[in-house]
Amino acid sequence: MLYPPDAFVRRIKDSAKQFIPDAIFLSLLHRKHIGRFPKLFHPTTFNEKILQRSLRPDPRYGALTDKLAVRAYVKAKVGEKYLVPLIASPTVFTRAVFDTLPNSFVMKANHGSSFVEVVRDKSQQTFESLQNLADRWTSTDFYRIARERHYRDIQPRIFFEHLLLDERGQIPADYKVHCFGGRPGRPMMFIVVISDRFGKDTRGDVYDAQWNHLDVGIGPYARSPTPAPPPENLQAILETAAILSEDFNYVRVDLYAPNNDVYFGELTFTPGAGVVPMRPDRVDFEWGRLLT
């Protein structure tokens, strides 16, 4: 097969990257996205400490990052009612599995980030298109993307969940609760709210536990021009995140809160693989001091 010149060069570069040692790869990635080389041996910033976790992950991280295996942990900690109803988790995605799926659902893969396909109307989908997507996901070695080593422990699987919608019939906001423990009482928490995630006006807003809209930007998302009102179940969101994070000095607990309910999304121990721009830059250092 012949590739266009640009595509051929990209394939050569991608192949070459596979031979770069993890620590060097992550240092170069950090330099590219953050603007400085990281201190991997004596990290001080949040991103540097996350990079260190990627290279030397806690043995618990693999199973709890697995989006299927973590369900048992969540059930034991807070109860089954916080889990998004599971429709199917087949060992092989076949046409027979597709035929048994309801009219609306969400297809996901358990072993990485952004493996999500929202299906509102199955009649507008085909088995072949979802099968191709599932094959592409499961053939992706997510560890190779950003060298987060605990992803090597996860066996790729496809699964299907109930489609959560809010009272407007929209995909609910994603509450990413950064929980910094290692201190008495409830952890220090910052809530990153991703709204309109699958729409054309995706926003990322950062709030503290008292719902003060902070002048902070994380990642590629623009802040909303005006802060959203706090959700009615804010305290339930914070309490759920606190319980799910209590075994760790830091973890990001992702939750959904449609219609005054609370549902678990995932646990993330190395958010953004440790290469997420934070605005202003001082926040990277401030959060680094919180991660002990």
Side-chain angles (χ1 to χ4, degrees), residues 44 49 180-183 188-190 249-250 285-292:
T44 57
K49 291 181 178 182
F180 296 89
R183 56 183 55 79
M188 175 77 76
M189 291 187 276
F190 297 96
N249 63 341
Y250 167 80
F285 292 85
E286 291 171 356
W287 284 25
R289 288 191 289 272
L290 295 175
L291 208 173
T292 57

Side-chain angles (χ1 to χ4, degrees), residues 241-253:
I243 295 172
L244 290 175
S245 68
E246 65 186 1
D247 296 328
F248 309 98
N249 63 341
Y250 167 80
V251 64
R252 196 189 77 200
V253 181

Side-chain angles (χ1 to χ4, degrees), residues 221-232:
Y221 305 112
R223 297 172 72 242
S224 299
T226 56
E232 293 182 17

Side-chain angles (χ1 to χ4, degrees), residues 104-246:
S104 62
F105 56 87
V106 180
M107 183 174 83
K108 297 182 178 180
N110 67 324
H111 69 297
S113 177
S114 301
F115 295 146
V116 179
E117 179 71 8
V118 175
V119 176
R120 287 178 173 267
D121 183 356
K122 191 171 76 168
S123 68
Q124 302 300 310
Q125 273 285 4
T126 66
F127 164 68
E128 289 77 14
S129 64
L130 290 183
Q131 184 186 45
N132 289 336
L133 185 58
D135 288 346
R136 188 165 78 244
W137 288 349
T138 55
S139 64
T140 299
D141 183 350
F142 199 76
Y143 151 70
R144 303 305 306 180
I145 294 175
R147 309 298 175 91
E148 297 162 283
R149 288 178 171 172
H150 52 291
Y151 281 99
R152 295 183 297 189
D153 301 329
I154 304 175
Q155 181 66 34
R157 288 276 298 277
I158 296 297
F159 65 102
F160 301 87
E161 287 183 341
H162 173 76
L163 174 60
L164 292 179
L165 298 174
D166 63 20
E167 66 277 359
R168 301 170 299 156
Q170 302 299 315
I171 303 294
D174 193 350
Y175 293 85
K176 298 181 179 296
V177 189
H178 293 259
C179 301
F180 296 89
R183 56 183 55 79
R186 182 178 279 185
M188 175 77 76
M189 291 187 276
F190 297 96
I191 310 162
V192 180
V193 182
I194 308 299
S195 54
D196 198 28
R197 179 182 172 193
F198 298 98
K200 297 179 180 179
D201 190 31
T202 305
R203 299 283 178 161
D205 295 280
V206 185
Y207 300 86
D208 64 17
Q210 290 71 47
W211 205 253
N212 295 303
H213 192 210
L214 305 180
D215 188 15
V216 172
I218 296 178
Y221 305 112
R223 297 172 72 242
S224 299
T226 56
E232 293 182 17
N233 55 352
L234 175 60
Q235 290 308 310
I237 292 170
L238 296 175
E239 183 61 28
T240 304
I243 295 172
L244 290 175
S245 68
E246 65 186 1

Side-chain angles (χ1 to χ4, degrees), residues 77-99:
K77 295 291 287 187
V78 294
E80 191 169 14
K81 72 175 184 176
Y82 291 90
L83 294 169
V84 178
L86 185 65
I87 298 170
S89 56
T91 53
V92 180
F93 180 39
T94 63
R95 184 175 293 277
V97 172
F98 176 78
D99 290 342

